[in-house]
Amino acid sequence: ARTLKPEVAEMRLEADAAAARVGAESSPPDSKFNPTYMDVPRDRPSYAPTPNAKTTKYTINQELPFFGKRDLKENIAGALAHAADAAAQSTVNEVLARVKVAYAQYYQAHLAMEQTASLIEAMTKVAKIAQVRYGQGVGDQQEAARAELERSSMVAELARLETNRSKARARLNALVNHPANAPLVEAPRPRTLPSPAALDYARQGAHPESSFCRSGCPD
């Protein structure tokens, strides 16, 4: 997401361009060089000491900004560069947040599929037992039908979860600029969460030099 997302790359390029303008604003304006070639007409001898006189004139113009103007323009460019850099970092944070949400949804669907598959396996055994009991005359037909109906409902739920997982995979791939059907890890696992004490904002704010803060906040 940091390297392949187009909107992230665009914001970083804009930040680089704004940073480059800071140095340009602090430089004096470019000098202007104007060569002028003039062929003096022969019918105006007062301007031509010789019959075929030709004149070439060179002029150089240098604009001198008013006192303090360059520093002001440099400060303005620096502020704009800082704003562009902050906007780029904000875009990165936003994209990373969307990636994490999509990955959590992908993990949630995967976990629900695992649990549903386990329940289907158990319910399949229950339905077979109910069918056997009914065949032996010791069970109720409605009991066997309910077990089979419950199993069929779980199978439908598993298909729905598979659809949700595919959608989460497509969203996650889109966020990292990959094709929607690009393969992902088939057994996703979430990152280990920090301890509750490390997530205590008041405590960490009172002790900024704690080990958690020194190691950096997780992004």
Side-chain angles (χ1 to χ4, degrees):
R2 291 178 184 272
T3 58
L4 298 179
K5 188 64 175 172
E7 61 186 283
V8 172
E10 178 185 0
M11 294 300 294
R12 282 180 169 167
L13 289 175
E14 290 183 1
D16 292 342
R21 284 193 290 270
V22 175
E25 293 295 345
S26 64
S27 302
D30 293 336
S31 301
K32 297 179 181 179
F33 177 70
N34 299 317
T36 304
Y37 177 79
M38 182 173 60
D39 187 357
V40 179
R42 294 183 180 182
D43 58 351
R44 300 182 64 184
S46 59
Y47 291 91
T50 59
N52 295 319
K54 294 179 175 59
T55 303
T56 303
K57 181 173 65 175
Y58 303 95
T59 58
I60 298 177
N61 299 326
Q62 175 63 58
E63 182 181 352
L64 299 176
F66 189 73
F67 178 76
K69 188 175 182 180
R70 283 198 321 181
D71 292 338
L72 178 61
K73 293 174 67 176
E74 183 179 6
N75 291 337
I76 294 175
L80 293 176
H82 181 73
D85 186 67
Q89 186 58 47
S90 176
T91 301
V92 171
N93 293 338
E94 181 183 352
V95 170
L96 293 181
R98 296 206 304 264
V99 168
K100 292 172 184 179
V101 170
Y103 186 81
Q105 292 172 342
Y106 180 66
Y107 169 71
Q108 179 186 26
H110 177 82
L111 187 62
M113 287 178 61
E114 284 186 340
Q115 295 175 346
T116 303
S118 178
L119 290 174
I120 289 175
E121 183 179 359
M123 187 55 64
T124 299
K125 295 179 181 178
V126 171
K128 288 182 178 179
I129 293 175
Q131 288 289 346
V132 171
R133 284 171 53 84
Y134 175 69
Q136 293 176 350
V138 295
D140 188 359
Q141 183 179 10
Q142 292 183 353
E143 180 183 353
R146 282 196 301 269
E148 183 60 31
L149 181 62
E150 185 69 20
R151 193 192 73 84
S152 299
S153 177
M154 290 181 179
V155 171
E157 176 67 11
L158 184 62
R160 186 187 69 81
L161 292 172
E162 174 61 32
T163 300
N164 291 343
R165 187 186 183 203
S166 298
K167 291 180 179 178
R169 179 192 294 114
R171 284 194 296 269
L172 191 54
N173 278 324
L175 288 169
V176 295
N177 203 30
H178 285 171
N181 59 348
L184 292 176
V185 59
E186 292 299 326
R189 288 293 178 267
R191 184 172 51 185
T192 303
L193 293 176
S195 64
L199 297 176
D200 189 341
Y201 177 79
R203 180 179 176 183
Q204 297 303 327
H207 302 283
E209 296 301 324
S210 64
S211 60
F212 175 74
C213 290
R214 286 198 303 269
S215 61
C217 297
D219 56 6

